[in-house]
Amino acid sequence: MGLQARSKQRKLQPCPVPSAFPHSPPPLGPRLRAAPSGLCPAHALTAYRHRQCACAVPGCGLGGSGLAVQRRAVPCRPLEQVATMPVQLLKFIKGKLETQLPSHLQREDLKQLQTGLDHSNKYFQDTFVVAGFKVAESPTAREDGRHACHLQVSEEAGSAIYICTQPSTSPFSETTSASVAPKYVYTPLNCLKDGTVVNLYGIVKFFKPPYISKGTDYCSVVTLVDQSNEKLTCTLFNGNLESLPKIYKNGDIVRFHRVKIREYNGQMQGITSAGFASLTFDGTVGAPVVPRASSKVYTFIDEEQKTVEELRIWAASNLSVPGPEAKLSDVKPMMFFDLTCQLVGKAKVDGSSFLLKVWDGTKCPYPTWKVPVEEKELEGDKALLHRLRNVTVDVLAYDNHVQLAKSLKIGSFLRIYSIHTKQASATNEDISSHIEFHLHGGTCYGRGIGILPENNADVEELKTFLECVDLTDSQNMENMSSLELGDTFDNYTDLESPLQRCQQLSATVLTDHQDMSNTMLKTVLNSRAPQQYRIRAKLRSFKPQKLYQSVKLHCSKCNTLQEVPDGDAFDLILQGCAATAPNPELQSMSWYESVMWTTQEEKERKITIHFVKHYEMLQRPENTLLMIEGGTLKEIWKLTRRFKCVIPVKSKEDDLELLDLSAPFLLQGNIKYYGCKKCSNPKSIENLSSLAEKREPSWEPTEIAQVLGIELLQYVFVMKFTLVDGTGALNAYLFDYEKFFQIPASEILTNSFLQQKMEMTMNTLSPPGRKLGQFAVLEGDKNGKDLLVCCYVCRVLEFSLHLGKNQK
DNA sequence: TTAGGGTTCG
């Protein structure tokens, strides 16, 4: 599609040149951004409709026809909201224009565009996508012979203009629409006008977490501030909780699209308009810039990442948003505070109040109020509630909070805003007065309940903390019954029962290898390998007893096994690399976008993250591969929770390179991928760009390893089972790449749940301290779903012989 | 429509 645009001649009111906003382009009218291959973001061009402009800046006097193009950040007048662009269709046949453009127009390369030159008779050719337009009759069609219709676009109607930037494909193929980036204009908070619909960036100064309004929707009230120091309070409604901004604390940064501005009580006020959408970011300087989106589809470009980082820095030095956060161990009588906690139990108390039993792993220094509730009303794992009884507190939620409180899921992580601690007056029966926790009715001071997602940084921290809590310190041993003491001393009692219930290994009817009859072990032992048998045996013992020791790394090329390096070794390598400063010349190359910052710790450290682009654009975090220089182990783990792939690198003179292969060359989720030192032949890191150019990069570890010249080591279970059936004892060696009882070898080292599962599986197969006759009988299916399988054992035998040959 | 920031009945 070809598209010519010409601005409509309109008179504009003079407007003061906006003050410089480092985070935001000047408040211009609709803009287009072209970022063709090889054009760095700093030189990205901004094109916008433009009339004979009274702006004195050189380059602005481009006249009223043609497509005006200017460097961004050149102050100019804001344009009116409604644009009218005559449209004429140009036909292309085999990539060539069938219709001739007027002869006075000369084609301009986007890279050559610059200010100060006359572009009246220039055109450039790219693929545009215009969305959200109105079609109107062209008033000049008769005179100028153009198309009878033209398109009207306006920000208010949510119009967007896109330019395709796919470098390698013909700009006229159908596939180009796959990578387009809309461009939005963000209005500083001191430039808002009544009756407009705008896009905004701001730092959250105050917010009310979404609550159920008296109408039909959820409501959230958010007060923003930006570098202009102007405030804006927005009242946001939506029937869907998920569509409201995911703000968790003051200081978060938000991007709002399509906020309607109104004047109310002499002040500007924001309100949701049709198509309202938001992104929310952690406001902490240096934290990964990961959007929490209120809609499934959104755009977020590199330039905006800088906006967020600049807002963070501005906020750090210009705003103080001391949150009233506190741990249970910090509470005092008569205070209001925000509590980040996990929900352990809940109960209906009466019509106007609802009980939440929560903990944060710390202990309140005062005796706490226990709200009496009927046993049948209390929801939650009774054993867990009992175990945690001295570290949970009862929070009573009233009135409008009851409905939301009722709907909360046990085990979820919450932030309860503005809990009030109240000291109950001492009575005769209760000399030692206790503290009560109230979430009063209403939404004053942001009072309410927020549900935090599992990947929230504070939740991650809390979870880690909760896992380490030693409950024995908080148990009052003297008052415990003998039964309770039993609970305390047997750490597994509470955990084991639900787990066991879920994972009990039942006797199964074998479905695999029904064609084979069982063979006695004596016969197997007297046979020559290789052969396949089906056996029925009991597991007498297995090694190693410490199951994590059964996981090794195997190189299928040189057939060597090695231990999985521990985290300390990786940490040491990272520390060594952090001493080398990132090479500034390797920042933001054509295929990746870099962000560098310096930590504020005592010993300053430079961290650089290189985000690999896909068709010139950053992808959603969950699809993004990034490379990191100078990060610590903890930081790298944090990144792996949000991004698809993390590759630790260091700068050398002319390229980035992988670290020593004692360190993982790739991290995905909680899996560290290693390369064989002997068989790998590392290639240039730039080879990753070939994967990024794929239509949908899968970022498979095998593919990444291949392009980087790495011989990927595979995680394997290596175990020895001694099987008996009364006729003999057979050692069977397990060598399994994939899964053993649905437990992936690559994940067991970092997953305590899988470790417990494996331990229980093995204990069921070979219970410690029991007689042989009580052992589980080993059979099963080849998927390893229930018990060891005959074919499984056969494979093990074959492999053991194979290994035996190699070792000899 | 709802709410339009500014703590507490319990």
Side-chain angles (χ1 to χ4, degrees), chain A residues 33 51 77 110 122 248 335 549 563 574 606 716 771-772:
Chain A
R33 177 181 176 237
R51 51 151 246 141
R77 296 167 175 284
L110 283 174
K122 297 286 170 76
Y248 302 129
M335 69 186 276
Q549 292 171 340
E563 297 295 329
L574 291 172
K606 281 197 164 58
V716 288
K771 286 181 189 166
L772 202 60

Side-chain angles (χ1 to χ4, degrees), chain A residues 394-535:
Chain A
D394 286 8
V395 180
L396 212 47
Y398 294 95
D399 303 338
N400 57 313
H401 307 297
V402 168
Q403 199 179 336
L404 188 64
K406 251 185 207 172
S407 70
L408 297 172
K409 289 197 176 73
I410 303 289
S412 57
F413 291 90
L414 310 173
R415 185 165 287 143
I416 310 180
Y417 300 92
S418 209
I419 296 181
H420 182 208
T421 57
K422 186 178 166 189
Q423 187 153 31
S425 52
T427 62
N428 287 341
E429 300 88 53
D430 185 7
I431 303 296
S432 60
S433 61
H434 57 243
I435 280 197
E436 299 176 357
F437 295 85
H438 297 272
L439 185 69
H440 296 291
T443 59
C444 282
Y445 275 82
R447 191 186 294 141
I449 304 170
I451 304 159
L452 301 177
E454 296 273 330
N455 64 0
N456 176 278
D458 292 334
V459 169
E460 303 270 11
E461 195 178 310
L462 177 60
K463 279 198 277 195
T464 310
F465 184 70
L466 295 182
E467 279 167 19
C468 303
V469 170
D470 181 4
L471 290 173
T472 50
D473 285 349
S474 60
Q475 310 279 12
N476 183 344
M477 309 288 253
E478 288 175 12
N479 294 338
M480 276 183 168
S481 67
S482 56
L483 183 69
E484 288 169 330
L485 276 172
D487 283 2
T488 308
F489 288 126
D490 183 358
N491 287 333
Y492 280 101
T493 307
D494 289 332
L495 280 174
E496 211 168 36
S497 45
L499 274 179
Q500 273 185 329
R501 274 198 295 278
C502 298
Q503 298 160 15
Q504 264 170 4
L505 300 166
S506 57
T508 49
V509 176
L510 291 181
T511 51
D512 272 336
H513 296 271
Q514 292 289 355
D515 54 315
M516 294 172 76
S517 56
N518 290 334
T519 305
M520 287 185 297
L521 287 184
K522 189 174 75 177
T523 312
V524 176
L525 287 164
N526 291 330
S527 310
R528 294 174 76 90
Q531 289 201 48
Q532 286 201 344
Y533 295 105
R534 175 181 166 132
I535 62 165

Side-chain angles (χ1 to χ4, degrees), chain A residues 286-288 570 573-574 577-578 580-583 587 591-597 599 605-612 624-640 643 645-651 656-659 663-667 685 688:
Chain A
F570 184 23
I573 294 172
L574 291 172
C577 293
T580 314
N583 181 351
Q587 310 279 307
W591 59 285
Y592 60 78
E593 190 70 45
S594 308
V595 180
M596 184 167 76
W597 71 94
T599 61
R605 182 164 53 88
K606 281 197 164 58
I607 305 173
T608 309
I609 297 183
H610 311 280
F611 296 93
V612 173
T624 294
L625 179 144
L626 62 83
M627 300 175 287
I628 178 167
E629 287 184 76
T632 62
L633 189 58
K634 197 175 165 189
E635 286 157 353
I636 287 178
W637 277 127
K638 278 194 169 177
L639 289 169
T640 62
F643 295 90
C645 300
V646 176
I647 296 185
V649 293
K650 60 183 176 189
S651 287
L656 298 170
E657 66 176 1
L658 295 176
L659 311 186
F665 74 95
L666 167 70
L667 295 97
I685 206 107
L688 283 173

Side-chain angles (χ1 to χ4, degrees), chain A residues 553 562 564-566 569-570 573 659-665 674-675 677:
Chain A
L553 291 169
Q562 58 172 276
V564 182
D566 64 15
F570 184 23
I573 294 172
L659 311 186
D660 182 295
L661 286 181
S662 307
F665 74 95
Y674 293 89
K677 282 187 179 177

Side-chain angles (χ1 to χ4, degrees), chain A residues 201-259:
Chain A
Y201 263 101
I203 300 148
V204 175
K205 193 179 182 313
F206 166 83
F207 74 106
K208 292 184 175 183
Y211 60 95
I212 300 160
S213 75
K214 287 174 184 159
T216 57
D217 292 329
Y218 285 94
C219 175
S220 183
V221 175
V222 184
T223 302
L224 304 180
V225 62
D226 72 359
Q227 287 104 323
S228 69
N229 251 327
E230 193 70 33
K231 279 196 307 180
L232 177 76
T233 298
C234 301
T235 311
L236 311 173
F237 297 103
N238 203 297
N240 178 7
L241 187 66
E242 290 297 307
S243 299
L244 287 171
K246 294 173 173 52
I247 299 168
Y248 302 129
K249 55 169 69 168
N250 290 336
D252 278 353
I253 288 167
V254 292
R255 186 190 81 176
F256 288 167
H257 278 177
R258 293 171 286 274
V259 184

Side-chain angles (χ1 to χ4, degrees), chain A residues 290-291 296 298 455 619-625 639-645 697-699:
Chain A
V290 184
K296 281 184 187 157
Y298 63 92
N455 64 0
Q619 289 189 280
R620 293 168 70 106
E622 60 269 30
N623 298 328
T624 294
L625 179 144
L639 289 169
T640 62
R641 291 189 194 118
R642 291 173 173 82
F643 295 90
K644 173 91 176 177
C645 300
S698 63
W699 299 127

Side-chain angles (χ1 to χ4, degrees), chain A residues 702-763:
Chain A
T702 46
E703 287 185 11
I704 294 173
Q706 197 181 6
V707 298
L708 293 177
I710 298 297
E711 188 62 41
L712 183 65
L713 294 177
Q714 284 186 288
Y715 284 90
V716 288
F717 280 117
V718 180
M719 292 180 82
K720 177 180 152 186
F721 299 102
T722 302
L723 307 168
V724 291
D725 70 350
T727 70
L730 177 71
N731 285 333
Y733 293 87
L734 170 75
F735 188 96
D736 195 287
Y737 284 114
E738 302 289 334
K739 288 177 176 179
F740 172 61
F741 286 95
Q742 293 187 307
I743 299 166
S746 52
E747 288 179 46
I748 191 162
L749 294 178
T750 49
N751 188 324
S752 57
F753 176 79
L754 290 179
Q755 287 165 16
Q756 280 182 25
K757 182 177 169 179
M758 178 130 174
E759 192 161 335
M760 288 173 56
T761 303
M762 297 314 297
N763 286 341

